[in-house]
Amino acid sequence: MVLSDVFLAPLGLLALLTVPPLVVLYLVKPEPERVELPTLQFLTEQLGQSASSPLLERLLRSLLLVIQVVALVLLATSLAAPYISVSEETTVEETVLVVDGSGSMTASDGGTTRFGQAVAAATEEVTGTTSVVYAAGEPRIAARAVPPDDARTALSDLQVTATNGDLRAALSTASAIAGENAQIVVLSDFADESDWPDAVQAARAQGLRVELRQFAAGGADNVGIIDARFTGREVTVSVKNYGRERVQRALTVGNQRAELTLAPGDVTTATFTVPAGGGQLRLTPTDSFSLDDTVYLAAPEDATIDVLLLTNDRNRYLATALSVIPEVELTVDEPPTTVDSGAYDVIVYSNVDPSRLLRGNVAAGRDLLEAGGGVAIQAQPNLPDRYGDLLLIEPTGTGQSPAIRRTASGPLTRDITFSPPETYISGPLRAGQPAVELGDGSPLIATADRGSGRLLYYGYIEESSSFKFNFQYPVFWKRSVFYLAGRDTLPELNRPAGDRLQFDGETRIQTPSGTVTQTGVVLDQTGYYRVGERRIGVSLLSEPESDVGATSLDERSERAGVSVREETRLVPRPVTEFVAGAALLVTLLELAYLRRRGDL
């Protein structure tokens, strides 16, 4: 063994050279002169013993020397920075905990979820300085460089979500906030198939210790709903068997029921009519991963939209587009006629003969707006003046073959390509905002909110429009009818977990776990959300997240080269302070001895 195996600064041992002079000093120090006192001699003779022993005196004088030598040796040793070798993890003072809160962590075995096990294990990993990174749909720093009690509080406040996990992003966040020589402990089921091993390697390349803790109890028998698609008033759900055995399941909603038989790996579908007002579509019997066994269906109480089309030329293209919408109950009538606005949710004015349009027909549109309904007006060469404020454009004439200047991003125009009209009505907007704008600034499509109602201007003149032959024509009118009626489509009312609701301002949102007021919310829980009069159903509809049978990290390590734990390394732990403390104690002992002997 060489000195470097024990001392970090062996040159400090040169201080031991002070010991020989001390010993020499004691050797050359003259013996004290002896003076015999007859009185004491008489006393000692009477007692039959000597008052002092030469051997005892020598030992007592040598004791002081020994104390001083020990003090010098300890001081020299402390200058050499002695150390002991310990495993690297025992020297870590800062820990960054990455806790997976994705949907798959709700899988359970024996009543204990993976998430509960992960949080309990994370609590045991808390060190003097701890940070907590929460890995869910979007990584979140729950605590940063806090003392142990605050870290444990942050861990206890975590709640598992129903979103897909993103371990790669969470690991990158942990690496960014970790201090020098910190360790990162990842607690997850590692069902996330993203390229998180690359983030582990990158963190280790920074000199950070990364430890992976896997929790994969339950989930091997999972059968779950992985998709829900809405068509009209119907929903078609897909069910997958992730287990290794043939199973039978039942799907129920209201009084509707479907029996399913699935072999291992099978995917099958079933279609149901969505009940008015919605309901819960359940897969039974449930299993160890229940999060994907329920679809929370939201739907309007009144599924029918009553639409009145007022036209004098039977506009067959528009009438056909409206009639094929499953939710629409269409009535076509010709002015002059009597209109009961209370019987309709939407009134569409198209190719109306100005001379036959009654005041009462237009008044019905205004009454419907006040009641919260919608009014649409289609462009025509001779727009009736009687429309008045129902018409969003101020007509100034007609134009031909314009270019489309701008198409606004919105629910009405999303993914629709609007062709330039051959002929159009030119003029500025009176109110509202353009959804599609022509080259001279004239609106082709425009909308406006008026009170609790809604207005739409449709600028294509039907007889000269090619857009009516476009396959997206009925799509546009379906969206328009739902917009004008103030209704959401079933896909808008039923969202997969992980979607986000965004609002223009602070909005009160009732979530499955409580009420919040903010400008947006991530739909990270399954159940019903309520915004005003809207009720939105949120369900876990993710094939990757339902695949909760996580691969063992040992098997993954063989394929990806990412070890669960890094090789244990021995590192020096200085004990200088302990040796220096011992030297101080010996020095105090020397002072106490000198005082007791009377030299101080």
Side-chain angles (χ1 to χ4, degrees):
M1 183 179 68
V2 296
L3 291 178
S4 59
D5 292 336
V6 182
F7 303 103
L8 294 175
L11 289 177
L13 295 177
L14 292 176
L16 291 174
L17 295 177
T18 60
V19 174
L22 177 64
V23 175
V24 171
L25 180 62
Y26 267 81
L27 292 176
V28 301
K29 182 179 179 181
E31 290 290 330
E33 183 181 353
R34 295 180 175 274
V35 177
E36 294 186 1
L37 297 177
T39 306
L40 292 176
Q41 184 177 6
F42 171 75
L43 291 174
T44 57
E45 287 176 355
Q46 286 295 103
L47 293 173
Q49 61 180 3
S50 174
S52 63
S53 169
L55 177 60
L56 181 59
E57 282 190 28
R58 192 177 303 111
L59 287 176
L60 290 174
R61 289 201 303 270
S62 299
L63 179 59
L64 181 60
L65 172 63
V66 170
I67 293 174
Q68 292 175 338
V69 169
V70 170
L72 288 175
V73 170
L74 289 175
L75 287 172
T77 303
S78 66
L79 292 175
Y83 71 88
I84 59 175
S85 295
V86 296
S87 59
E88 184 181 22
E89 55 264 30
T90 62
T91 67
V92 172
E93 295 184 359
E94 180 182 356
T95 300
V96 181
L97 301 171
V98 179
V99 182
D100 187 356
S102 61
S104 62
M105 293 292 285
T106 63
S108 63
D109 184 20
T112 304
T113 65
R114 297 175 179 178
F115 184 74
Q117 296 173 11
V119 171
T123 303
E124 298 299 322
E125 297 288 345
V126 171
T127 55
T129 300
T130 304
S131 299
V132 179
V133 176
Y134 187 52
E138 298 177 359
R140 174 172 61 87
I141 300 174
R144 183 167 186 175
V146 298
D149 288 345
D150 292 345
R152 294 187 183 97
T153 299
L155 287 170
S156 65
D157 289 341
L158 296 180
Q159 293 184 347
V160 68
T161 69
T163 61
N164 294 334
D166 191 347
L167 277 182
R168 177 184 175 85
L171 275 162
S172 298
T173 301
S175 300
I177 67 173
E180 187 177 358
N181 299 323
Q183 71 171 353
I184 298 175
V185 181
V186 186
L187 305 104
S188 170
D189 57 5
F190 296 97
D192 180 4
E193 294 297 331
S194 67
D195 48 356
W196 58 263
D198 293 342
V200 173
Q201 299 287 33
R204 288 174 175 168
Q206 292 179 224
L208 301 170
R209 293 189 66 257
V210 181
E211 180 181 336
L212 309 180
R213 300 281 304 277
Q214 187 174 33
F215 303 88
D221 61 340
N222 185 43
V223 180
I225 302 170
I226 60 173
D227 192 22
R229 297 187 179 276
F230 297 88
T231 304
R233 299 177 183 177
E234 295 182 332
V235 58
T236 300
V237 296
S238 300
V239 180
K240 184 172 181 177
N241 178 13
Y242 290 93
R244 297 181 179 179
E245 297 180 358
R246 189 179 186 86
V247 298
Q248 289 186 333
R249 290 291 190 271
L251 281 169
T252 57
V253 56
N255 58 2
Q256 304 173 75
R257 182 182 179 91
E259 299 288 344
L260 309 176
T261 301
L262 300 99
D266 271 2
V267 178
T268 189
T269 61
T271 300
F272 301 89
T273 299
V274 178
Q280 295 183 22
L281 193 159
R282 297 182 179 275
L283 179 68
T284 55
T286 189
D287 49 46
S288 59
F289 184 60
S290 60
L291 198 62
D292 60 1
D293 292 339
T294 303
V295 176
Y296 296 87
L297 297 173
E301 292 293 339
D302 181 7
T304 301
I305 301 176
D306 295 299
V307 178
L308 172 62
L309 173 59
L310 288 176
T311 179
N312 290 113
D313 69 353
R314 305 298 299 176
N315 195 333
R316 62 188 181 93
Y317 297 103
L318 179 55
T320 301
L322 294 174
S323 64
V324 299
I325 302 172
E327 297 86 352
V328 166
E329 185 69 36
L330 179 65
T331 301
V332 182
D333 205 351
E334 297 185 22
T337 186
T338 301
V339 178
D340 178 9
S341 61
Y344 302 101
D345 300 300
V346 176
I347 297 178
V348 180
Y349 299 88
S350 174
N351 294 351
V352 176
D353 185 343
S355 63
R356 306 187 67 180
L357 183 65
L358 303 179
R359 293 184 184 275
N361 300 150
V362 178
R366 294 192 177 95
D367 293 341
L368 184 57
L369 285 176
E370 291 181 6
V375 172
I377 295 178
Q378 182 176 10
Q380 60 186 72
N382 54 340
L383 278 168
D385 294 334
R386 189 160 284 174
Y387 284 148
D389 60 346
L390 295 182
L391 185 62
L392 295 179
I393 190 175
E394 182 68 48
T396 59
T398 59
Q400 292 183 337
S401 303
I404 302 291
R405 174 193 291 180
R406 184 179 66 89
T407 300
S409 176
L412 284 182
T413 59
R414 184 180 63 251
D415 300 325
I416 295 179
T417 302
F418 293 91
S419 56
E422 295 180 10
T423 305
Y424 69 99
I425 305 298
S426 61
L429 271 178
R430 290 173 173 169
Q433 51 281 327
V436 181
E437 194 173 29
L438 299 175
D440 65 351
S442 299
L444 182 62
I445 308 292
T447 59
D449 293 335
R450 183 168 299 172
S452 59
R454 291 150 297 279
L455 285 165
L456 171 71
Y457 170 70
Y458 178 75
Y460 284 105
I461 298 174
E462 202 75 3
E463 61 186 17
S464 60
S465 167
S466 61
F467 183 62
K468 63 179 178 287
F469 303 116
N470 193 314
F471 74 94
Q472 295 172 322
Y473 179 77
V475 174
F476 169 79
W477 276 109
K478 178 178 180 177
R479 294 177 181 178
S480 297
V481 166
F482 274 86
Y483 161 71
L484 291 169
R487 303 275 184 88
D488 291 303
T489 62
L490 288 180
E492 291 171 332
L493 292 176
N494 296 274
R495 306 289 189 91
D499 267 13
R500 185 180 183 88
L501 294 179
Q502 197 68 42
F503 309 99
D504 294 333
E506 293 285 331
T507 303
R508 189 172 183 270
I509 308 153
Q510 184 178 332
T511 75
S513 61
T515 302
V516 297
T517 301
Q518 49 198 38
T519 58
V521 63
V522 177
L523 306 176
D524 59 3
Q525 303 171 60
T526 58
Y528 292 105
Y529 290 71
R530 186 175 291 278
V531 183
E533 297 299 320
R534 298 172 64 203
R535 190 174 75 147
I536 298 170
V538 178
S539 311
L540 178 67
L541 300 171
S542 169
E543 185 172 358
E545 201 63 29
S546 288
D547 188 5
V548 294
T551 304
S552 167
L553 282 180
D554 293 331
E555 296 179 20
R556 190 188 296 268
S557 176
E558 295 175 1
R559 300 198 304 263
V562 178
S563 59
V564 178
R565 294 174 181 266
E566 292 185 284
E567 181 181 353
T568 300
R569 295 179 295 180
L570 295 178
V571 295
R573 168 173 278 183
V575 292
T576 304
E577 61 272 20
F578 300 106
V579 178
L584 178 61
L585 289 176
V586 172
T587 303
L588 293 176
L589 177 63
E590 177 188 2
L591 294 175
Y593 174 72
L594 290 174
R595 181 175 180 83
R596 186 175 186 280
R597 203 174 69 168
D599 292 347
L600 289 179

